[in-house]
Amino acid sequence: VNKVDAKPVYVLPNNSNIQMAAEQAASIVDNKKTIVIPTKTIPQGMTSLFVFNPKKSVSENEKAMIAALKRIKSGQVTYAVRDTVIDGLTIHKGDWLGISEEKIMTSSDTSQMAAKELLQHLISEESELVTIIYGEDVSRAETEQLVTFIESQFPNVDVEVHAGMQPIYPYLISVE
């Protein structure tokens, strides 16, 4: 925070495990205002950044960035590192997991199927926009198959796709 050439500094943890450390760091910074926006996922962080307006006050931006978090559902697809049973869901090492807001929603044989099942949990009648950020091990063609699925199952939502090139998570998903 001290090395950032900005006043104030907004910190987006994008992970609930990092939130407390970010708040502690912000509390010991002496020479500049540091605001922690309680983002738990990368899609939440991106959504809060989209509402930031440099012409508004620190307080207005903080309120807008936090309010934006309530308008988004986020999810991610990753793989299981061990066998387990969580909330009655049997998971095997190597299974693909669909996770929403830190809760495992689905376990599947493929990342595509996990993403489809996760989307069915995330998208509701009120949903307007689905943003997909695909990872380094996913092709654009595979992602287009997912887009086709969304368009056929949920014709009233718009879909945005971005190459995130992130490791470990083939898909990061936000629904607004």
Side-chain angles (χ1 to χ4, degrees):
V1 170
N2 288 327
K3 291 182 180 182
V4 174
D5 186 22
K7 287 185 182 182
V9 173
Y10 295 87
V11 178
L12 309 173
N14 295 342
N15 184 318
S16 61
N17 295 325
I18 298 172
Q19 173 103 19
M20 189 179 298
E23 290 170 355
Q24 288 176 339
S27 73
I28 62 172
V29 174
D30 293 332
N31 58 346
K32 61 176 79 170
K33 185 161 180 67
T34 305
I35 297 103
V36 178
I37 306 299
T39 58
K40 295 179 181 176
T41 65
I42 290 171
Q44 284 184 345
M46 291 175 59
T47 296
S48 67
L49 286 174
F50 286 139
V51 301
F52 176 81
N53 183 341
K55 294 181 180 179
K56 291 193 175 187
S57 72
V58 172
S59 176
E60 289 172 314
N61 272 313
E62 180 178 11
K63 287 177 188 171
M65 293 169 85
I66 291 171
L69 302 179
K70 295 175 182 152
R71 296 189 302 265
I72 181 175
K73 295 182 219 169
S74 62
Q76 55 199 10
V77 174
T78 191
Y79 56 88
V81 295
R82 65 181 181 278
D83 292 346
T84 190
V85 176
I86 298 175
D87 295 330
L89 185 63
T90 301
I91 299 167
H92 301 286
K93 182 178 180 178
D95 282 355
W96 292 96
L97 308 175
I99 303 169
S100 173
E101 311 304 336
E102 302 178 357
K103 183 176 186 320
I104 298 173
M105 305 300 287
T106 184
S107 175
S108 302
D109 293 335
T110 68
S111 62
Q112 279 278 318
M113 186 55 67
K116 289 175 182 178
E117 291 171 359
L118 178 61
L119 284 160
Q120 290 174 327
H121 287 285
L122 295 174
I123 299 173
S124 67
E125 286 185 21
E126 295 81 34
S127 301
E128 296 176 355
L129 176 65
V130 174
T131 302
I132 300 170
I133 304 166
Y134 64 95
E136 67 183 6
D137 293 329
V138 179
S139 70
R140 179 69 187 212
E142 289 172 301
T143 304
E144 287 302 325
Q145 291 173 2
L146 193 55
V147 170
T148 300
F149 167 79
I150 295 168
E151 291 172 344
S152 69
Q153 297 296 308
F154 309 98
N156 295 324
V157 300
D158 292 324
V159 182
E160 287 185 0
V161 176
H162 304 280
M165 302 310 294
Q166 70 276 1
I168 302 173
Y169 299 97
Y171 297 106
L172 299 174
I173 300 168
S174 69
V175 177
E176 299 177 57

